[in-house]
Amino acid sequence: DEHGFTLDEAVVTFFAAPHSYTSQDVVEIACHGAPVLLDYVVRAAMQRGARLAEPGEFTQRAFLSGRIDLTQAEAVHDLIAAQTLQQARVAAAQLGGAVARQIAPVKAQLVHLIAELEAGIDFAEDDLELMPQANILAEIDGIRTQLTALATTYSYGRIVRDGFTLAIVGRPNAGKSSLFNRLLERERAIVTAQPGTTRDPISERLAIGGVPVELVDTAGLRDAPTGPEGEAETLGILRTRERMAEADFVIHVIDATTFTAGALHPEDRATLSSLEGRPHQVVLNKCDMAATPRTSNVYLDTSAKTGEGIDALKAAILTALTGAAPATDSALLTNLRQHQAITDSVAALDAAHHAALDLIPHEMLLLDLHCALEALDRLTGVTSTDDILALIFSTFCIGK
Ligand code: GDP
């Protein structure tokens, strides 16, 4: 300190450019973690001309120096924010440059096509053979197919990164709370043999297949008794409908012991029709008590009591929401910005395809192809504008 007193012994590491996180010269000071010490070191450094980093500034410098591309920079953020190991795995794969690696050959193919067409225009008078229409179409479609495949990874990438909400609905006593607990693997909701006791939706976070899930248990869907006692329940039912409308996936629980094929309870029928066109799964719960197993493609037999069918239920949910999960080390689009860049590129290629079909002059076709290329460059950050970059890095924490 200023009196020459030794406060701490620190490890100081010097990373010489370009072998550092930012590719610039970096000095790291590791001292003991007491807040007063850290504060003192930061102040001392600032008195000697240092300043505090902006959020994400280190990663932004790594990006600006060209050491990482924009999808990798975004992966740094995702890795820090990861709540499950699966999220961390996906982020780590992106950080390793999975998207950039997959895009590079596609981009090279596109650049090659553009170069060929431009050469054809420049040398048209010299009788240089123009590329035949069929070849142009084949090239465009080949590139388009690869980009479309990458675009479809977003359905899984988005879910892994952001998670989803899952609502459990069904008539009173069907076993919703028990199923909720079974999925949570611990007691949370109060399970009772009295119908209509779960009044408010309760939610818990859990992970299914490494995907973060907010699980909502909802009040039994039935007409509440009239009078003051029914009031709380009516409120619960209202909130159930709200949560149902918001949920990404709904589990509709039917009591297998009272179930007769072809004769659904009117409330279950109403619930089913309200779920039409939305991701959901109907389960026949209490299958341990049902006389005969009724497994069909539509219904899944479960027992909240014995745990039977729970793994199948989890698998069905994941498949319905994400499709088959791709290999973690393959390229995944994990945010809307990335998905938008790819779909923009595909749209431009579509326009180019039609231009080629209609034998529109290559000058015009080239405009579309350049547009497709620009969208790919936007994905990796080659052509991103400053305000987009500022927006992305501002979501980082300071010191990253
Ligand atoms: P909810 O009103 O739909 O939330 O239903 P609960 O989860 O409170 O369950 C109602 C009753 O059914 C309780 O007595 C549970 O112990 C029982 N129950 C729930 N699931 C099962 C199951 O899979 N098998 C059996 N045998 N009983 C169950």
Side-chain angles (χ1 to χ4, degrees):
D1 66 7
E2 55 273 30
H3 310 297
F5 189 84
T6 303
L7 282 168
D8 191 14
E9 288 179 0
V11 178
V12 179
T13 319
F14 172 58
F15 297 87
H19 304 289
S20 74
Y21 185 73
T22 61
S23 292
Q24 300 165 317
D25 285 338
V26 170
V27 173
E28 278 183 16
I29 304 172
C31 49
H32 290 99
V36 281
L37 275 182
L38 299 180
D39 190 66
Y40 185 83
V41 171
V42 170
R43 277 175 202 283
M46 285 171 68
Q47 272 163 14
R48 288 161 180 78
R51 69 162 169 81
L52 287 179
E54 303 289 335
E57 186 170 352
F58 290 99
T59 307
Q60 185 164 16
R61 286 181 183 220
F63 164 72
L64 291 174
S65 73
R67 194 177 71 76
I68 58 174
D69 75 10
L70 201 49
T71 62
Q72 289 173 292
E74 285 170 327
V76 171
H77 178 266
D78 292 350
L79 188 57
I80 293 166
Q83 293 172 325
T84 72
L85 262 185
Q86 180 68 3
Q87 287 181 308
R89 280 189 202 106
V90 166
Q94 307 315 76
L95 188 52
V99 172
R101 264 199 307 281
Q102 185 143 342
I103 282 292
V106 185
K107 190 176 151 182
Q109 213 177 330
L110 183 55
V111 168
H112 182 75
L113 176 62
I114 289 175
E116 289 242 334
L117 291 176
E118 279 178 350
I121 289 166
D122 290 348
F123 298 103
E125 304 103 70
D126 304 347
D127 258 10
L128 194 97
E129 175 111 329
L130 286 179
M131 212 176 171
Q133 185 203 27
N135 289 14
I136 298 175
L137 283 174
E139 280 292 313
I140 294 176
D141 294 348
I143 297 167
R144 190 188 176 284
T145 306
Q146 298 176 66
L147 292 182
T148 311
L150 187 57
T152 58
T153 64
Y154 183 53
S155 62
Y156 181 71
R158 180 184 72 87
I159 294 274
V160 170
R161 182 172 177 270
D162 299 337
F164 61 91
T165 49
L166 188 63
I168 303 181
V169 303
R171 298 185 50 231
N173 235 25
K176 296 179 297 300
S177 306
S178 309
L179 203 60
F180 182 88
N181 289 336
R182 178 54 81 167
L183 285 167
L184 270 179
E185 291 300 349
R186 61 195 160 94
E187 298 293 305
R188 169 66 174 79
I190 308 146
V191 182
T192 67
Q194 281 286 317
T197 41
T198 316
R199 288 199 168 137
D200 275 341
I202 21 180
S203 69
E204 277 280 356
R205 294 189 69 80
L206 73 152
I208 297 183
V211 177
V213 180
E214 188 179 354
L215 183 60
V216 185
D217 180 23
T218 47
L221 283 179
R222 61 161 192 167
D223 291 326
T226 45
E229 309 95 74
E231 225 164 85
E233 202 178 324
T234 311
L235 257 179
I237 290 169
L238 264 178
R239 290 183 52 190
T240 301
R241 300 209 185 279
E242 269 174 33
R243 296 305 280 258
M244 250 179 84
E246 290 163 6
D248 298 302
F249 192 94
V250 180
I251 301 175
H252 178 192
V253 188
I254 297 177
D255 187 338
T257 59
T258 60
F259 171 81
T260 343
L264 272 182
H265 190 282
E267 284 171 34
D268 283 329
R269 218 176 312 130
T271 303
L272 261 185
S273 63
S274 76
L275 288 175
E276 218 163 282
R278 294 184 50 199
H280 71 277
Q281 175 68 53
V282 183
V283 300
L284 291 181
N285 190 44
K286 309 191 191 180
C287 71
D288 55 296
M289 296 220 298
T292 47
R294 302 157 210 263
T295 306
S296 72
N297 320 335
V298 191
Y299 305 133
L300 208 66
D301 286 329
T302 61
S303 168
K305 191 171 174 186
T306 66
E308 200 183 326
I310 300 300
D311 285 343
L313 174 60
K314 290 181 178 180
I317 295 167
L318 280 184
T319 311
L321 282 178
T322 67
T328 16
D329 55 350
S330 67
L332 279 184
L333 302 182
T334 49
N335 67 41
L336 189 60
R337 188 196 69 78
Q338 298 170 359
H339 184 248
Q340 191 63 50
I342 294 291
T343 46
D344 286 353
S345 189
V346 169
L349 288 171
D350 281 342
H353 174 100
H354 285 113
L357 263 188
D358 297 345
L359 293 172
I360 284 170
H362 287 179
E363 282 89 341
M364 307 303 287
L365 182 66
L366 276 164
L367 284 183
D368 291 327
L369 293 180
H370 274 292
C371 221
L373 182 62
E374 187 275 331
L376 293 187
D377 282 339
R378 217 174 338 118
L379 171 72
T380 51
V382 181
T383 55
S384 295
T385 57
D386 285 349
D387 36 334
I388 294 285
L389 293 180
L391 199 68
I392 290 171
F393 288 105
S394 68
T395 63
F396 279 62
C397 37
I398 290 172
K400 290 294 173 294

